[in-house]
Amino acid sequence: MIYSIDATNDGGFVVGGKTDSTDGHFSGLSSGKYKSFIYKCDANAGIQWRDSLSGSKHCTVEAISVGSTGEIFSTISSNCNDGDFAGMKQAEEELKGKFTVVTKHTASGKRAWVTPIYDVGHVDLPAIVASDNGGCVVAGKYTSNSDGNKYCFKGIYNGGMTGTTDGMIVALKGDGTFYW
């Protein structure tokens, strides 16, 4: 299933989504049960390169944005703590909800970085736009499942009550670290 598409500077396009298929165009990708995928296609829809992150639970490329120099950014929603997502989160015993992974690929398909954005509760950032500084800005929501935030959103007020949901905008630098 394709969830996002964006035009590339060379007249082609990139698409992203999720699949549990292991054959056809999806053979040879990550071996998890569910795969998030990015495909770069030329102007005639020929596949130039592809990449995926997978695990045993839901993971989906929700948004894609192409930067001015051809780099490709994506947001991946995940409930996985295994497969390609193993070790991405700290204190996994406390983090039982959905989190978001932001990726940057070069125009030629090399994965430049992967940055997980998580906290105690659910983090869902299904919007992304490339910025002129080589980074990106992502937006969406997060819901705290405990009294306070401990990880990526530590010190950010969310109403002070368990279960409250807030909007969130996060800027990442060109190297994948948090800008603001």
Side-chain angles (χ1 to χ4, degrees), residues 128-144:
I128 191 166
V129 64
S131 55
D132 289 338
N133 65 2
C136 62
V137 178
V138 295
K141 65 181 179 176
Y142 79 105
T143 302
S144 177

Side-chain angles (χ1 to χ4, degrees), residues 9 19 43 58 70 77-78 91 108 126 133-134:
N9 302 339
T19 186
H58 164 84
S77 170
S78 179
S108 62
N133 65 2

Side-chain angles (χ1 to χ4, degrees), residues 42-124:
D42 61 26
N44 296 314
I47 298 171
Q48 294 181 317
W49 60 262
R50 59 196 178 135
D51 193 19
S52 70
L53 292 172
S54 68
S56 63
K57 297 180 181 176
H58 164 84
C59 52
T60 304
V61 171
E62 291 190 327
I64 289 181
S65 182
V66 178
S68 60
T69 59
E71 66 275 14
I72 298 160
F73 298 90
S74 69
T75 61
I76 300 172
S77 170
S78 179
N79 286 331
C80 299
N81 61 4
D82 61 0
D84 294 324
F85 299 96
M88 283 192 185
K89 303 182 295 179
Q90 299 171 358
E92 294 207 19
E93 67 278 358
E94 293 186 40
L95 301 173
K96 304 295 185 199
K98 184 191 301 187
F99 66 103
T100 294
V101 172
V102 181
T103 68
K104 179 179 180 178
H105 288 78
T106 64
S108 62
K110 181 181 176 194
R111 194 183 301 164
W113 48 257
V114 176
T115 299
I117 303 176
Y118 56 91
D119 213 295
V120 179
H122 296 286
V123 176
D124 189 21

